[in-house]
Amino acid sequence: MHSTKIITITTLLSFAFTVPLAGCGRGSKGDARDTAVVAVEACDSIPSPVKKLVRAVADNDSDGFAALVSYPLQRPYPLRDIRDADEMKKYYRELVDDSLRKVITTSGPEKWSEYGWRGWTLDDGRYIWVDDDVYDVQYISQKELKAIDSLSRREVETMAPSLRQGWLPTLCLRDDTHGTVYRIDKRTRHDRGQGGHHYRLAVYGPGSDLREIPAQLLEGLMENEGTAGTVIYRFHDRSGAETIIEPDAPDTPSPILVTPSDSTIELTRAYWHELVEGN
């Protein structure tokens, strides 16, 4: 699993050094798509996983693409992550729409760059990341954007009325051992708080009614740490005690929560609307 390699676009913009491609031409004149695909496949500096990816997308080969992916492949919340190759085959056209296919199949070798242990990326990380396999797709298709908007609206409607205005759901996690639910929301663009506290953490105790006011409501911020741009959420209560959530902690396969007393709790990814329906 490559969860530790998830890299944000903002972090990528700060990278100064990439490995230049050697011995790769731009191909001959002709159809831009065919020319770019052939050029990538003929380039000695491009690794096999990238070549296989480009060919699978050029052929609209959902089976071939699914075989190249490291699972689970994360999608932006509240979309579900893609758990295995069977799900990917069904989801392929939702993810690889005409726009992404065009970018991948018309980009020559010069558009692909290597970032050391992070692997290879197209157009500085705007679209997709490949190491031994495809481990991150930054691109969000139009169908996905519509689904995100629809699911987000549904989630907001299930929150306690006083919590709805000015917030959008960002992440939902659950402590399976005790049944505690943690929901992270982000302020809407038109309702940003002061001091950079653009996020809040709602904590619902075991057996709580998720449609009511949570047991705790903390405000905080999101940071990107390290060369991988690991996402960390920091929340504080009125006394200043800090609660940290790392959705993609580098050394664990699961999201973690660090309590004010420095205890670490492993969490699992959850989906708010599913929890509410079963509440």
Side-chain angles (χ1 to χ4, degrees), residues 111-260:
K111 290 290 186 179
W112 288 91
S113 303
E114 184 181 17
Y115 284 88
W117 61 267
R118 303 173 189 87
W120 288 75
T121 183
L122 176 60
D123 200 6
D124 293 330
R126 292 179 58 194
Y127 298 100
I128 198 164
W129 283 86
V130 187
D131 191 6
D132 295 328
D133 38 38
V134 176
Y135 67 84
D136 184 28
V137 179
Q138 287 283 324
Y139 177 79
I140 305 173
S141 70
Q142 287 298 315
K143 287 185 177 180
E144 287 183 312
L145 288 172
K146 290 181 180 179
I148 290 170
D149 181 67
S150 176
L151 289 170
S152 295
R153 291 175 184 274
R154 283 174 55 190
E155 288 207 11
V156 170
E157 290 173 357
T158 64
M159 298 178 190
S162 63
L163 303 181
R164 297 175 187 175
Q165 186 64 36
W167 296 91
L168 286 174
T170 298
L171 187 64
C172 183
L173 301 166
R174 190 172 187 270
D175 175 0
D176 288 337
T177 301
H178 301 98
T180 305
V181 174
Y182 302 87
R183 194 190 69 241
I184 297 177
D185 302 314
K186 181 181 180 179
R187 289 186 187 274
T188 60
R189 183 169 297 179
H190 302 293
D191 190 20
R192 293 292 175 87
Q194 299 298 315
H197 290 171
H198 298 160
Y199 293 84
R200 72 179 180 191
L201 174 65
V203 183
Y204 296 82
S208 298
D209 186 340
L210 301 181
R211 295 177 182 270
E212 300 297 331
I213 299 295
Q216 280 187 292
L217 198 60
L218 311 175
E219 290 198 359
L221 50 84
M222 183 193 76
E223 298 176 347
N224 299 112
E225 291 195 354
T227 57
T230 302
V231 172
I232 295 179
Y233 295 96
R234 298 182 183 276
F235 301 96
H236 298 86
D237 62 20
R238 292 182 179 180
S239 69
E242 183 178 65
T243 297
I244 299 173
I245 288 183
E246 296 186 50
D248 300 294
D251 300 321
T252 65
S254 304
I256 64 169
L257 179 145
V258 181
T259 69

Side-chain angles (χ1 to χ4, degrees), residues 50-66:
V50 172
K51 294 178 181 181
K52 290 179 180 179
L53 164 68
V54 173
R55 173 50 61 187
V57 172
D59 293 345
N60 259 334
D61 180 5
S62 59
D63 287 6
F65 182 89

Side-chain angles (χ1 to χ4, degrees), residues 1-4 246-257 264-267:
M1 179 177 178
H2 292 275
S3 62
T4 62
E246 296 186 50
D248 300 294
D251 300 321
T252 65
S254 304
I256 64 169
L257 179 145
T264 299
I265 301 172
E266 288 196 9
L267 306 174

